[in-house]
Amino acid sequence: MDERVPRDFETLRTTILERRQSLPKRIAQIAAYALDNPDDIAFGTAASIAASAGVQPSTLIRFAQQLGFDGFTSLQLVFRERLRERNSSYDERLAALRAKAEEGAGHRAIFDGFVAAASTSLNDISGRLNEDHFEAAITLLAKAETIYVLAKRRSYPVASYIAYALGKLKIRNQLIESAAGLNAEMISFASPRDAVIAISFSPYAPATIEEARVISEQRVPIVAITDSSFSPLAQFAKVWFEVAEADFAGFRSLSATMALAMALTVAVGEKRRDTAGKRKA
Amino acid sequence: MDERVPRDFETLRTTILERRQSLPKRIAQIAAYALDNPDDIAFGTAASIAASAGVQPSTLIRFAQQLGFDGFTSLQLVFRERLRERNSSYDERLAALRAKAEEGAGHRAIFDGFVAAASTSLNDISGRLNEDHFEAAITLLAKAETIYVLAKRRSYPVASYIAYALGKLKIRNQLIESAAGLNAEMISFASPRDAVIAISFSPYAPATIEEARVISEQRVPIVAITDSSFSPLAQFAKVWFEVAEADFAGFRSLSATMALAMALTVAVGEKRRDTAGKRKA
DNA sequence: GGCAATATGAAATAATAATTCCAATCCATA
DNA sequence: TATGGATTGGAATTATTATTTCATATTGCC
């Protein structure tokens, strides 16, 4: 048998889809069933699967043979392997990571801890994002002539990624950082037709808060990403997001903040394209 | 048989752990094996499992019976059910996010897309991290007098977070960035007693590659985080990590890279503390 | 140390499941 | 519409696998 036998599920899947047209009716029927109910194939017996799919066991074996396997059993192995390779359930895995991290078993534990913290944060924000706030922020930012990006210290990486992405999307932006200590001057150029994305988490970098205050007094609308409603940033912001980042070893994850920041950025880009399109039309 | 038979894996697990002490030796042996290798129980045959666990098939059946099942087959069902269920929750949720993101239903979809990309990346790296490389990198960095951090453009946010964290941990470091265009001079100070963390993904920023080349010619050891073994960074590095980041809307996630970067940083901090402690003692 | 109760190993047996085979049916083509 | 080839259904066969049984070993207790 020199025919190439699919060894992994993805190859198998592709092969089946390719041949779908040329397969006899009943074989096609079991093929469809297999792709729709891979778990059943993995666990069932030839008889039970055949029954669920509405064919004879022999058809199931012919199906396997058509694909180059020597019988149902070898086909089934591929479906089982797929389940094995899939990682354990999310919660189980997270718990395991956290456990390993907590018992402090060497350096690997540190890595696991950060992965767990990031996953937790993402999980958390994905359920909590307020969609109205999100839309409001996008609208506000899409109208801005220049988007100022304001963040220091721990939040600075997010700001720099926002600036990078905005640049890529050809949206005029200004990262408020200055080796020459000219932040105040930079800020003074901002007008109500601009907008600000400000990011700060407890303990809030005083410079960020102060700059946010100044800029809000110039009536420049602020979108804030912060960690609680008591955040001093919230009071200056037109729209603000509460992001709870899990921490590990004293360093908080940035994954949720990053995801939100990127989503904001790209959504603004998209909104601008839409608006520009409409204006032209 | 009015004994309560555990129906789901968690209950079963608890039951086994409770009774562990009171089980006969071989039964305890298979019990431990079952909890350690649940996948094998789900897929194997009584004979194969017994062989792997180093017991007789009959012992396996006795184990099942002790737990209230009427045979190995019914016990196995619980282990199979577990596999079925665990696939549904997390992966389905992720798939749902991705699907929503792909069908492009509004701005919320963009957010979902980034969350999904970040989760996928974390998921991926958590299974793939090479522990030997990780240890090697930590050892190498812990010995360095100064840690240079090198990354541009998309990878720059990671570099800035590393620099922030290293600073917090009081580890001497130098982020290679210079508004004044003095990168080359900065690099020229690096010696073989220092070390570099370099981060670059395709399309590799030419400046990063060039600087990595120069610095490696000065015999400064480099730890690289990059995206494939073909990466030009890999050839200059003493140790390198392959990180596959999922992307969305043209922007790759940074979550896995961030987690790895933070883990490296904190592990280096810890290793230094340990070493310092030993030296004192 | 001896005895009973319990646990274990190994092979025989029963059960279950996969595969094969052949007759019946379907389908395309002349 | 007749004919050959492909496809299908269903039962018979073969294989694999779970379970049982019984002899042997181990353990705890008097």
Side-chain angles (χ1 to χ4, degrees):
Chain A
M1 195 162 291
D2 54 73
E3 189 176 355
R4 289 274 150 114
V5 181
R7 234 166 271 276
D8 63 286
F9 185 74
E10 270 314 309
T11 315
L12 178 58
R13 184 194 170 77
T14 315
T15 311
I16 292 175
L17 289 173
E18 269 170 13
R19 298 213 204 152
R20 182 151 56 169
Q21 305 304 330
S22 65
L23 291 173
K25 194 171 63 155
R26 291 264 116 117
I27 309 256
Q29 186 175 330
I30 192 74
Y33 182 86
L35 293 186
D36 284 350
N37 308 68
D39 289 9
D40 287 357
I41 307 280
F43 290 124
T45 68
S48 72
I49 296 165
S52 311
V55 301
Q56 289 292 322
S58 44
T59 306
L60 182 45
I61 286 156
R62 288 181 194 120
F63 167 59
Q65 287 168 343
Q66 286 242 0
L67 291 167
F69 297 95
D70 51 46
F72 165 68
T73 309
S74 359
L75 170 73
Q76 192 177 40
L77 283 180
V78 174
F79 282 77
R80 292 190 165 180
E81 207 43 50
R82 161 177 164 275
L83 284 185
R84 270 194 135 89
E85 277 171 8
R86 284 236 192 147
N87 299 312
S88 45
S89 90
Y90 179 68
D91 293 334
E92 248 175 45
R93 198 175 31 217
L94 248 191
L97 280 184
R98 246 191 245 114
K100 259 201 285 174
E102 267 165 29
E103 79 192 19
H107 292 142
R108 169 78 202 208
I110 295 175
F111 174 73
D112 290 339
F114 280 109
V115 171
S119 300
T120 306
S121 303
L122 283 167
N123 211 19
D124 199 64
I125 200 180
S126 116
R128 278 167 54 160
L129 183 80
N130 181 317
E131 235 164 297
D132 296 337
H133 289 180
F134 192 57
E135 284 303 325
I138 294 163
T139 308
L140 195 157
L141 292 168
K143 282 193 306 215
E145 283 179 3
T146 298
I147 296 177
Y148 288 83
V149 186
L150 176 56
K152 318 264 158 171
R153 303 180 57 78
R154 193 172 82 77
S155 310
Y156 176 75
V158 182
S160 68
Y161 201 27
I162 294 177
Y164 167 78
L166 285 172
K168 276 271 200 186
L169 294 167
K170 309 233 192 299
I171 296 171
R172 192 195 305 170
N173 70 94
Q174 179 65 57
L175 186 54
I176 302 179
E177 56 161 359
S178 164
L182 296 170
N183 285 3
E185 286 76 359
M186 258 186 203
I187 288 170
S188 72
F189 297 139
S191 87
R193 285 177 308 181
D194 301 323
V196 180
I197 302 178
I199 307 164
S200 185
F201 297 96
S202 167
Y204 313 98
T208 306
I209 305 304
E210 175 56 16
E211 288 168 12
R213 193 187 57 75
V214 170
I215 213 164
S216 75
E217 277 171 5
Q218 291 168 222
R219 304 193 174 283
V220 188
I222 298 181
V223 172
I225 300 178
T226 186
D227 55 1
S228 94
S229 41
F230 302 113
S231 159
L233 256 195
Q235 60 186 303
F236 302 127
K238 267 246 161 58
V239 186
W240 59 271
F241 297 96
E242 181 177 340
V243 177
E245 294 273 12
D247 78 312
F248 181 77
F251 291 94
R252 251 166 293 183
S253 158
L254 286 180
S255 57
T257 313
M258 278 280 185
L260 174 56
M262 292 315 295
L264 273 176
T265 308
V266 169
V268 167
E270 202 153 272
K271 178 140 197 158
R272 288 213 175 178
R273 264 214 320 277
D274 291 354
T275 317
K278 271 184 210 136
R279 243 183 317 213
K280 259 183 221 158
Chain B
M1 195 164 290
D2 55 72
E3 192 176 356
R4 287 278 148 110
V5 181
R7 231 167 275 273
D8 63 287
F9 185 74
E10 268 316 309
T11 314
L12 178 59
R13 185 192 170 75
T14 314
T15 311
I16 292 175
L17 288 173
E18 270 169 12
R19 298 213 204 153
R20 183 150 56 169
Q21 304 305 331
S22 64
L23 290 174
K25 194 170 67 159
R26 292 262 113 119
I27 309 259
Q29 187 175 330
I30 192 73
Y33 183 87
L35 293 186
D36 284 350
N37 309 68
D39 288 11
D40 287 357
I41 307 281
F43 290 123
T45 66
S48 71
I49 295 165
S52 312
V55 301
Q56 291 291 324
S58 44
T59 307
L60 183 45
I61 285 156
R62 287 180 195 122
F63 168 59
Q65 288 168 343
Q66 286 241 0
L67 292 167
F69 297 97
D70 51 46
F72 164 69
T73 309
S74 358
L75 169 74
Q76 194 178 38
L77 284 180
V78 174
F79 283 78
R80 292 190 165 180
E81 205 44 50
R82 163 175 164 278
L83 280 186
R84 275 186 129 91
E85 277 176 4
R86 80 180 190 187
N87 279 338
S88 29
S89 55
Y90 174 66
D91 288 336
E92 257 169 33
R93 200 147 32 105
L94 243 191
L97 277 186
R98 241 188 250 118
K100 257 202 287 173
E102 265 163 30
E103 78 192 19
H107 292 143
R108 169 77 201 210
I110 296 175
F111 175 72
D112 289 341
F114 280 109
V115 171
S119 300
T120 306
S121 304
L122 284 168
N123 217 9
D124 202 64
I125 199 181
S126 114
R128 279 168 55 159
L129 182 80
N130 181 317
E131 232 162 299
D132 295 337
H133 290 179
F134 191 57
E135 283 302 326
I138 294 163
T139 307
L140 197 157
L141 292 169
K143 281 192 307 214
E145 283 179 2
T146 298
I147 296 177
Y148 288 82
V149 186
L150 176 56
K152 319 261 156 171
R153 303 180 58 78
R154 192 173 82 76
S155 311
Y156 176 75
V158 182
S160 67
Y161 201 27
I162 292 177
Y164 167 78
L166 286 173
K168 275 272 202 185
L169 294 168
K170 308 230 191 303
I171 296 172
R172 192 194 306 170
N173 70 93
Q174 179 65 59
L175 186 55
I176 302 179
E177 55 162 358
S178 163
L182 295 172
N183 284 3
E185 285 76 359
M186 257 185 203
I187 288 171
S188 72
F189 297 138
S191 88
R193 285 176 309 182
D194 299 326
V196 180
I197 300 178
I199 308 164
S200 184
F201 298 95
S202 167
Y204 314 97
T208 306
I209 305 303
E210 175 57 15
E211 287 169 10
R213 193 186 59 73
V214 170
I215 213 163
S216 76
E217 279 171 5
Q218 290 169 223
R219 306 192 173 283
V220 188
I222 299 182
V223 172
I225 300 178
T226 186
D227 54 1
S228 94
S229 41
F230 302 113
S231 158
L233 255 196
Q235 61 186 303
F236 301 129
K238 266 247 161 60
V239 186
W240 58 271
F241 297 95
E242 182 176 341
V243 177
E245 294 273 12
D247 78 312
F248 180 77
F251 292 96
R252 252 167 293 183
S253 158
L254 286 181
S255 56
T257 313
M258 278 282 187
L260 175 55
M262 292 315 295
L264 273 177
T265 308
V266 170
V268 167
E270 203 154 272
K271 177 142 197 156
R272 286 209 177 182
R273 263 214 321 279
D274 290 354
T275 316
K278 271 185 209 131
R279 241 181 320 210
K280 259 185 223 160

